[in-house]
Amino acid sequence: MLRLELTRLVRSNRPLLAVLSLALFLGLMLLGFYTYAKTETGGDVEFRYTFENASYFNGLTFALYAFYFGFLLVLPIFAATEGGAQLAGDSASGAFRLLLARPVGRARLFMTKVAVAFASTIVLCAVLLAFALGLGLLGVGFGDLDLYPGVLQMTDHHQHLDQAVALERFAMVLPAASLALFAPLSFAFLISAWSKSPVNAVGTSVAVYLVLYVIAEIHFFEALRPWLFTSHMAYWRELFREEVNWTTFFRDAAKLSGFSLLFLALALHRFRTREEL
Amino acid sequence: MRARGALLELALFVAAALLFALGFGLPEFTPPAFELGPRAPGDVRVMTWNVGGSGSGDEWGGPLRDEHVAHVAEVLRELDPDLCFLQEVRMGLQAEHLLTALGPGWQMEVSGSTGNRRLVAFAQRGSLRSLDFDDRSRRALTVRYEPNGGAPITAVGLHADAASAQRRNEDIGALATALVDRAGDTILLGDFNFDLDLGKRRDLFTDDEYLDVETYNFIATRFLDATLGTGSTAEPDRRLDYIFVRQPAFEVRTAGPIKNRRFGDMDHDPVLADLTR
């Protein structure tokens, strides 16, 4: 069954389209990065006194910026698309009636689909990270990673990581970020389990993710933050501190995993008990 | 087969519950509270305190009330700084009344006025005189403090513009640049009127946060932020008061806001640093 689901995933062309979209995203990021670096360090700035300087921008900075924005705004949409399409898509196309005619348990079928979708998400995450690092190091240049308080909201003071340490941290980001993406994927499975139309499932999953993301970002809704999975998604940023606070890191990882498993349990319950006509 | 599915579903719910318990149960990271210890021989204790009030009907709060002068003098005697800058001292004779209340051994220099308030520097155990420096729009006061038996210190006390991030950038950036160019031991301290708390980014009620980040980074790449990570200094839960010291001239032995010293409608804590040379 695993081979069947993998074959169907590859033939759907969704992974290929996602990779092409990531390549386009990184190309635009590179363009924006150079434009920003030029305007912010060339005297064309609104503020006279700014910390920006040409040496601050290097391949690792680009890779981190690109991965950060791609992780928060692009990968969750692919995860939601994959999760939304898996159950509702097969339901709409009648594939479930065919699959469930075999002596296969619904739980096994469900978990196989989850495993395939999660594997696909991990691959996309790895592709984005590898492309961002490759493009950054080869196209922009090597160097240490310096982070200042700013747009990434990573730190409240200057952090410096030597290049070798920074690359180790990038390697640690892959499993951490993949775990985080499991939450929107599981959420999309939950929506998909309640929907008969893949378009509705994907649309709803993406829309709800974006709403929760925006709510979690705005200080006005601070009291809601702990209860939204989107608040914890970028927990892997902790890895780019000079001294990683592992308690904070594992606390957020545990919360995200809790959200993911809760969504999956609810989705499985719905999938096991719903009628497939 | 249905029982296996139900069992899996139950396992997912239980695992989610355990992970939530772990995630929400692990302690939040909170930096250790600052406690003022005994000062070491040879240390220089510097302090900044916005002694203005929040509720006098003025749009930006009011200056120090005359009935609070005795309390301020009492706190100064208790905390015993070598050099102290007070912001929001009322024009007229209030600074002189403060000097009288402090008693013998103290010296004073005052800035020009902004509205009906001004900056005042008090010092003891050494000599104090004001310098003709870049005192931006009378929002700053520059002094040379020469402790008994020690090398002189150039210190700039500042009360940055509360209304405009652009003006804050210009004033603070110019002062920091001028101080960097000046030889010797230098300190920049005061009420900078910006707060870089990561959790408050994208506050609906301010769009200055990302602009002030530029200003903070400009200083932080040139000076050491002595009270970093020691918590808020003003209501409501904001860190507005800073002590920046030039390295390697100074090492920070201890620094932070001193709680429970406000009086009446005061909305800032005194902020203090013990510096070793």
Side-chain angles (χ1 to χ4, degrees):
Chain A
M1 186 177 291
L2 187 61
R3 188 180 300 170
L4 173 69
E5 288 298 328
L6 282 171
T7 307
R8 293 180 68 211
L9 176 66
V10 171
R11 286 185 180 171
S12 73
N13 283 333
R14 287 196 299 271
L16 179 64
L17 290 172
V19 169
L20 290 175
S21 303
L22 289 176
L24 174 66
F25 168 77
L26 286 173
L28 291 172
M29 277 295 296
L30 190 60
L31 189 65
F33 193 74
Y34 270 119
T35 311
Y36 181 80
K38 190 178 175 186
T39 56
E40 293 297 312
T41 61
D44 185 21
V45 289
E46 180 189 359
F47 272 27
R48 184 173 170 193
Y49 299 100
T50 171
F51 71 105
E52 310 281 20
N53 62 77
S55 65
Y56 166 58
F57 294 97
N58 64 26
L60 290 180
T61 322
F62 169 79
L64 187 55
Y65 272 56
F67 183 76
Y68 176 74
F69 291 120
F71 170 84
L72 281 180
L73 298 172
V74 183
L75 288 181
I77 291 177
F78 292 139
T81 303
E82 195 55 50
Q86 282 287 347
L87 300 182
D90 281 6
S91 190
S93 67
F96 271 144
R97 287 195 295 276
L98 191 65
L99 288 169
L100 293 172
R102 296 174 166 195
V104 177
R106 287 194 178 205
R108 187 180 162 204
L109 179 59
F110 177 87
M111 293 311 288
T112 304
K113 283 187 168 296
V114 170
V116 168
F118 189 39
S120 157
T121 306
I122 293 173
V123 168
L124 284 180
C125 191
V127 165
L128 177 62
L129 195 56
F131 278 14
L133 274 171
L135 201 57
L137 293 177
L138 299 176
V140 183
F142 288 77
D144 297 339
L145 182 62
D146 282 287
L147 292 175
Y148 295 90
V151 68
L152 299 188
Q153 301 179 53
M154 282 190 170
T155 175
D156 57 3
H157 62 286
H158 174 218
Q159 309 265 351
H160 174 89
L161 297 179
D162 291 337
Q163 182 177 277
V165 176
L167 287 172
E168 282 173 19
R169 302 291 175 85
F170 270 107
M172 293 162 77
V173 160
L174 179 59
S178 300
L179 180 74
L181 288 169
F182 196 33
L185 179 72
S186 305
F187 182 73
F189 264 89
L190 175 59
I191 301 290
S192 191
W194 281 89
S195 176
K196 297 285 185 186
S197 158
V199 175
N200 287 347
V202 171
T204 306
S205 302
V206 171
V208 173
Y209 170 79
L210 291 177
V211 167
L212 296 182
Y213 172 70
V214 170
I215 294 285
E217 281 293 296
I218 299 175
H219 182 55
F220 187 72
F221 301 106
E222 189 179 13
L224 292 176
R225 276 185 192 160
W227 313 106
L228 305 177
F229 73 86
T230 46
S231 309
H232 313 289
M233 287 278 291
Y235 78 107
W236 52 265
R237 289 179 302 184
E238 185 67 35
L239 293 171
F240 289 99
R241 287 180 178 273
E242 289 167 354
E243 291 182 17
V244 178
N245 183 331
W246 292 107
T247 305
T248 302
F249 181 83
F250 285 118
R251 192 187 65 218
D252 283 345
K255 286 178 189 173
L256 275 170
S257 304
F259 278 115
S260 302
L261 296 188
L262 177 64
F263 294 148
L264 277 189
L266 293 169
L268 176 60
H269 178 76
R270 170 64 186 164
F271 184 65
R272 284 178 54 242
T273 53
R274 78 178 189 178
E275 293 285 334
E276 288 295 341
L277 296 174
Chain B
M1 211 172 282
R2 285 183 71 86
R4 199 182 298 170
L7 205 60
L8 178 62
E9 192 182 309
L10 181 66
L12 287 172
F13 275 120
V14 171
L18 289 174
L19 285 164
F20 277 131
L22 184 67
F24 287 97
L26 281 173
E28 293 273 349
F29 172 74
T30 48
F34 168 67
E35 286 183 21
L36 182 63
R39 60 196 293 175
D43 278 4
V44 177
R45 177 168 287 180
V46 295
M47 181 176 140
T48 175
W49 191 10
N50 181 332
V51 291
S54 60
S56 64
D58 190 308
E59 184 185 359
W60 300 109
L64 174 66
R65 292 168 182 244
D66 288 337
E67 59 265 36
H68 296 167
V69 166
H71 171 78
V72 170
E74 187 183 319
V75 171
L76 284 181
R77 281 195 303 269
E78 177 211 346
L79 297 179
D80 196 28
D82 295 296
L83 175 62
C84 171
F85 284 87
L86 300 184
Q87 297 89 39
E88 304 237 24
V89 174
R90 191 189 295 276
M91 280 294 290
L93 294 174
Q94 199 174 61
E96 284 73 14
H97 291 158
L98 262 169
L99 186 63
T100 305
L102 281 169
W106 290 83
Q107 300 163 63
M108 177 180 80
E109 292 290 344
V110 296
S111 71
S113 67
T114 52
N116 60 345
R117 54 197 85 178
R118 57 187 177 176
L119 267 155
V120 183
F122 290 101
Q124 58 177 342
R125 293 184 286 273
S127 65
L128 179 74
R129 67 181 169 87
S130 63
L131 294 179
D132 185 15
F133 199 56
D134 187 358
D135 292 346
R136 313 283 302 179
S137 311
R138 300 184 176 186
R139 291 195 163 275
L141 170 64
T142 305
V143 298
R144 175 189 162 98
Y145 170 67
E146 190 163 350
N148 296 333
I153 296 168
T154 301
V156 177
L158 172 72
H159 188 192
D161 194 298
S164 164
Q166 181 88 45
R167 282 201 291 274
R168 283 195 289 275
N169 179 265
E170 288 169 3
D171 291 351
I172 297 170
L175 286 167
T177 305
L179 266 183
V180 166
D181 292 342
R182 192 178 182 88
D185 303 346
T186 52
I187 303 172
L188 178 61
L189 71 171
D191 178 355
F192 286 63
N193 263 317
F194 58 57
D195 181 15
L196 300 183
D197 188 324
L198 289 177
K200 293 174 192 155
R201 296 282 163 79
R202 301 183 189 171
D203 191 322
L204 280 183
F205 302 110
T206 173
D207 55 3
D208 277 353
E209 190 103 9
Y210 78 99
L211 303 173
D212 284 324
V213 162
E214 295 279 355
T215 309
Y216 175 84
N217 287 337
F218 183 80
I219 314 168
T221 50
R222 291 157 175 81
F223 291 83
L224 176 71
D225 182 354
T227 58
L228 181 71
T230 56
S232 64
T233 66
E235 290 295 328
D237 190 26
R238 292 179 299 168
R239 181 172 177 243
L240 302 181
D241 306 273
Y242 299 79
I243 297 175
F244 290 99
V245 297
R246 191 85 170 129
Q247 284 194 308
F250 297 106
E251 288 296 323
V252 179
R253 186 185 299 279
T254 181
I258 311 291
K259 299 297 179 185
N260 304 317
R261 300 300 192 283
R262 296 181 202 163
F263 195 72
D265 66 345
M266 287 180 180
D267 53 359
H268 287 249
D269 296 315
V271 177
L272 184 149
D274 282 349
L275 306 174
T276 308
R277 306 169 92 174

